[in-house]
């Protein structure tokens, strides 16, 4: 999780700077989101972090305090002026849970420890700890598998909590080129890999690594010449996938690093706009199917297929890509919870949920300006084809059958002649037999039998009241099949 580090001067350029992104042409996928806003209990439309704890509760870091969400209600924690035991600052950048199920909270002034059993906060002001001013903002916090706590900061790069002295100290850096390493600038992230090693970002020294059992961070020397070890291309996020590859985002692109063979590859390049502070906001997650999702504040969402270089651009309804190159909805953070639901944070639109299994309903309607849209007049029966999976037969009022193709969302229209339907050809019910025969129950025109090409083969109608073999009524509302196909009809009333 990476977070904004804006001061007043940077904010001006953040608002007025332009980003133009050039990436290879990609496939696209639109997802439907549920919005959680202030009206639903969210403390602020600016959401910087989302975390699910060991109890299954969702914690949200906002610009107006820390929130806990149980799926039904919100509990909000804020700074109380004059109360040193309250939350240190309402601007929350990151949240982590330790082995005792207590929370560490990265905020504008440093870090806060939340003892959940006692319901008390203990604050650590980083400026006071290091005797400086204006560099206390803490961007990310990590509780590792060995019980240690690390943080990345605006002014001191990577720091570590010392439980014996109950204070924070600078993380141990090895000497670089025979000189003490500098700790005096930005670190955007700190991350633990599957082997227990700790990775950290340094604006001074690039990508740093502390192997499990080692005592000092050392900079990584890649196999190729690149700019990752420079401030201009500061690394903003890192993630290890299930196959052991490291995914790295920076201000200038997306990289994949084969640690075992020390092979670095750039797979997406951002050719301009890299100086904008928004490029620091990145998030990388892996879903249950092994796909890698990479979210970048102004550059949208990319979904990589497994650990391949092939990706899909994920689109959100209402989120427009402007001619300046960036998106209108500025996303900040992605978290995938234990049930597989995706949670997105944003800078101004609140919190979003995406359930890839139980997605919100998508509505299809008639558009007079789009001849390929659903026919007007309303819909009646629906039938999913078994012979042609992905095809849905839709009965309409007055416009025959619409055949919806799920793959490309196209609609084919099949009409039929009508003599006794006041709407001009309604399909009240539809049924497909195993041999491909299509049966259509109409509203006044009897029963129509069609072949697989939707050509009418025969029409069955009421003949007279004494004919026991004819239809009892020309309005056919229900079609079912057992050993023999059963057709249900009702009188005109209703």
């Amino acid at each position: 999780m990476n977070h904004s580090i804006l001061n007043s001067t940077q904010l001006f350029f953040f608002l007025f700077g332009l980003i133009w992104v050039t990436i290879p042409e990609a496939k696209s996928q639109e997802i439907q989101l549920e919005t959680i806003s202030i009206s639903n209990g969210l403390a602020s439309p600016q959401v910087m972090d989302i975390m699910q704890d060991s109890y299954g509760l969702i914690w949200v870091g906002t610009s107006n305090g820390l929130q806990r969400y149980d799926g039904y209600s919100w509990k909000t924690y804020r700074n109380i002026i004059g109360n040193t035991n309250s939350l240190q600052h309402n601007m929350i950048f990151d949240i982590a849970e330790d082995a005792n199920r207590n929370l560490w909270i990265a905020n504008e002034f440093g870090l806060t420890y939340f003892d959940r059993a006692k319901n008390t906060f203990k604050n650590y002001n980083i400026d006071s700890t290091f005797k400086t001013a204006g560099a206390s903002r803490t961007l990310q916090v990590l509780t590792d598998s060995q019980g240690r706590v690390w943080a990345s900061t605006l002014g001191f790069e990577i720091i570590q909590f010392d439980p014996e002295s109950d204070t924070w100290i600078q993380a141990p850096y090895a000497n670089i080129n025979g000189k003490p390493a500098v700790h005096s600038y930005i670190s955007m992230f700190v991350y633990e890999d599957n082997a227990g090693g700790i990775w950290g970002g340094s604006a001074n020294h690039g990508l740093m690594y502390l192997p499990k059992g080692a005592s000092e961070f050392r900079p990584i020397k890649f196999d190729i010449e690149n700019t990752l070890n420079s401030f201009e291309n500061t690394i903003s996020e890192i993630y290890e996938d299930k196959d052991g590859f490291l995914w790295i985002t920076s201000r200038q692109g997306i990289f994949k690093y084969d640690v075992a063979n020390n092979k670095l590859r750039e797979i997406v390049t951002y050719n301009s706009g890299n100086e904008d502070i928004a490029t620091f906001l990145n998030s990388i997650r892996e879903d249950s199917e092994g796909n890698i999702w990479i979210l970048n504040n102004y550059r949208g969402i990319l979904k990589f297929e497994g650990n391949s270089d092939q990706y899909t651009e994920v689109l959100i309804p209402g989120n427009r890509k402007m001619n300046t190159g960036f998106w209108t909805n500025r996303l900040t953070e992605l978290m995938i919870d234990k049930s597989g639901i995706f949670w997105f944070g944003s800078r101004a639109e609140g919190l979003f949920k995406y359930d890839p299994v139980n997605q919100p309903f998508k509505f299809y309607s008639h558009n007079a300006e789009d001849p390929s849209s659903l026919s007007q007049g309303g819909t009646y029966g629906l039938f999913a084809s078994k012979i042609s999976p992905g095809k849905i037969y839709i009965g309409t009022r007055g416009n025959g059958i619409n055949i919806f193709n799920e793959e490309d969302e196209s609609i084919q229209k099949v009409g039929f002649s009508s003599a006794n339907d006041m709407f001009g050809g309604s399909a009240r019910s539809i049924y497909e037999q195993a041999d491909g025969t299509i049966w259509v129950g109409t509203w006044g025109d009897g029963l129509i039998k069609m072949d697989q090409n939707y050509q009418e083969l025969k029409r069955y109608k009421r003949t007279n009241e004494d004919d026991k073999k004819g239809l009892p009524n020309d309005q056919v509302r229900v079609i079912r099949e057992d050993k023999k196909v059963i057709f249900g009809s009702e009188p005109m009333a209703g």
Side-chain angles (χ1 to χ4, degrees):
M1 291 167 276
N2 289 317
H3 310 289
S4 172
I5 54 170
L6 301 178
N7 58 35
S8 59
T9 301
Q10 291 169 325
L11 180 59
F12 177 86
F13 291 102
F14 177 81
L15 293 174
F16 294 97
L18 299 180
I19 300 177
W20 180 263
V21 181
T22 58
I23 56 178
E25 184 177 353
K27 297 181 295 182
S28 63
Q29 170 194 357
E30 184 173 276
I31 60 175
Q32 302 294 314
L33 301 180
E34 174 188 346
T35 302
I36 299 175
S37 63
I38 291 178
S39 63
N40 305 114
L42 193 65
S44 168
Q46 185 175 13
V47 174
M48 301 305 295
D49 187 47
I50 314 161
M51 187 272 288
Q52 185 176 34
D53 67 18
S54 56
Y55 296 102
L57 298 170
I58 303 294
W59 293 84
V60 180
T62 78
S63 60
N64 191 27
L66 173 71
Q67 292 194 281
R68 185 190 71 199
Y69 182 55
D70 62 8
Y72 302 96
S73 61
W74 295 88
K75 170 70 173 177
T76 304
Y77 301 89
R78 293 190 178 94
N79 174 259
I80 302 173
I81 297 175
N83 183 352
T84 58
N85 293 319
S86 66
L87 188 65
Q88 182 169 226
H89 196 282
N90 289 335
M91 186 68 196
I92 308 301
F93 293 107
D94 198 23
I95 312 158
E97 183 182 31
D98 65 20
N100 297 318
R101 297 185 170 182
N102 296 316
L103 303 183
W104 290 88
I105 304 147
N107 57 70
E108 182 71 15
F109 286 167
L111 291 116
T112 294
Y113 175 72
F114 179 40
D115 188 318
R116 297 173 71 170
K118 297 178 181 178
N119 198 36
T120 59
F121 293 93
K122 184 170 184 177
N123 297 310
Y124 299 88
N125 186 292
I126 299 304
D127 274 342
S128 297
T129 299
F130 293 102
K131 311 301 181 187
T132 58
S136 58
R137 181 175 294 177
T138 304
L139 305 172
Q140 198 171 91
V141 59
L142 166 71
T143 57
D144 72 16
S145 58
Q146 299 181 54
R148 299 172 298 185
V149 185
W150 308 87
S152 62
T153 68
L154 175 66
F156 307 100
E157 297 198 354
I158 308 168
I159 60 175
Q160 180 182 4
F161 182 66
D162 181 6
E164 292 187 5
S165 61
D166 190 29
T167 191
W168 287 83
I169 59 176
Q170 290 183 334
Y173 285 10
N175 287 347
I176 297 176
N177 297 325
K179 299 179 180 179
V182 178
H183 287 75
S184 60
Y185 211 32
I186 303 169
S187 175
M188 293 301 304
F189 71 93
V190 59
Y191 175 82
E192 182 177 21
D193 63 24
N194 295 328
I198 307 299
W199 298 85
S202 165
N204 287 299
H205 312 296
L207 184 61
M208 306 283 283
Y209 186 51
L210 175 70
K212 185 176 182 179
S215 58
E216 295 176 322
F217 281 90
R218 295 181 180 275
I220 295 295
K221 295 182 179 180
F222 296 109
D223 65 312
I224 59 173
E225 289 293 328
N226 66 86
T227 61
L228 275 180
N229 292 348
S230 68
F231 172 72
E232 291 76 15
N233 197 19
T234 302
I235 300 172
S236 54
E237 183 68 295
I238 194 169
Y239 181 85
E240 182 183 16
D241 67 24
K242 60 182 178 59
D243 295 319
F245 291 100
L246 285 184
W247 294 77
I248 300 170
T249 57
S250 77
R251 301 181 75 176
Q252 296 180 8
I254 299 173
F255 297 79
K256 191 184 295 185
Y257 181 42
D258 180 350
V259 181
N261 298 302
N262 190 34
K263 298 291 184 182
L264 180 73
R265 290 190 301 110
E266 186 169 13
I267 53 177
V268 176
T269 302
Y270 304 131
N271 290 327
S272 61
N274 302 316
E275 70 284 350
D276 198 291
I277 201 69
T279 58
F280 279 126
L281 292 169
N282 292 268
S283 190
I284 310 173
R285 296 292 179 267
E286 185 172 8
D287 66 22
S288 59
E289 297 178 350
N291 300 309
I292 301 296
W293 295 65
I294 298 183
L295 177 152
N296 181 286
N297 182 251
Y298 270 143
R299 292 163 173 162
I301 308 168
L302 301 183
K303 174 187 173 184
F304 287 81
E305 301 171 7
N307 65 4
S308 75
D309 295 353
Q310 303 300 313
Y311 63 85
T312 297
E313 190 172 32
V314 179
L315 308 178
I316 297 171
N319 192 19
R320 295 178 296 103
K321 196 171 189 178
M322 299 179 290
N323 57 12
T324 54
F326 39 76
W327 297 88
T328 54
N329 194 333
R330 298 167 292 167
L331 300 175
T332 57
E333 169 67 359
L334 168 61
M335 188 273 288
I336 306 175
D337 70 20
K338 296 171 185 176
S339 64
I341 293 176
F342 289 56
W343 298 73
F344 296 92
S346 74
R347 284 192 60 84
E349 305 294 334
L351 186 65
F352 301 101
K353 286 175 63 178
Y354 164 58
D355 188 339
V357 178
N358 299 312
Q359 298 183 34
F361 283 104
K362 186 170 183 179
F363 295 95
Y364 298 90
S365 61
H366 175 69
N367 182 350
E369 298 179 355
D370 182 5
S372 65
S373 66
L374 194 69
S375 293
Q376 64 179 341
T379 59
Y380 288 132
L382 295 173
F383 191 90
S385 173
K386 294 181 180 179
I387 294 177
S388 302
K391 279 189 177 181
I392 308 293
Y393 297 108
I394 304 169
T396 74
R397 187 176 73 170
N399 291 283
I401 305 170
N402 283 191
I403 304 167
F404 179 75
N405 189 323
E406 289 184 286
E407 183 176 353
D408 59 8
E409 299 190 345
S410 63
I411 293 178
Q412 179 183 356
K413 297 174 181 178
V414 176
F416 50 83
S417 61
S418 172
N420 300 309
D421 180 353
M422 62 184 294
F423 299 108
S426 302
R428 294 299 303 270
S429 54
I430 305 172
Y431 187 82
E432 178 191 68
Q433 287 187 279
D435 64 359
T437 300
I438 306 294
W439 296 88
V440 182
T442 73
W443 192 350
D445 291 308
L447 177 70
I448 300 174
K449 179 180 181 181
M450 295 181 175
D451 63 20
Q452 294 187 52
N453 297 315
Y454 316 118
Q455 299 298 312
E456 185 173 330
L457 301 175
K458 189 173 182 180
R459 190 172 297 212
Y460 301 84
K461 301 187 70 176
R462 176 183 177 179
T463 54
N464 57 66
E465 293 182 358
D466 298 327
D467 187 354
K468 303 295 184 180
K469 296 182 180 180
L471 289 177
N473 190 281
D474 285 337
Q475 294 185 29
V476 181
R477 305 192 182 207
V478 182
I479 304 173
R480 297 288 185 268
E481 183 176 16
D482 53 15
K483 291 182 179 179
K484 294 183 178 180
V485 181
I486 300 174
F487 309 106
S489 61
E490 296 182 11
M492 180 73 74

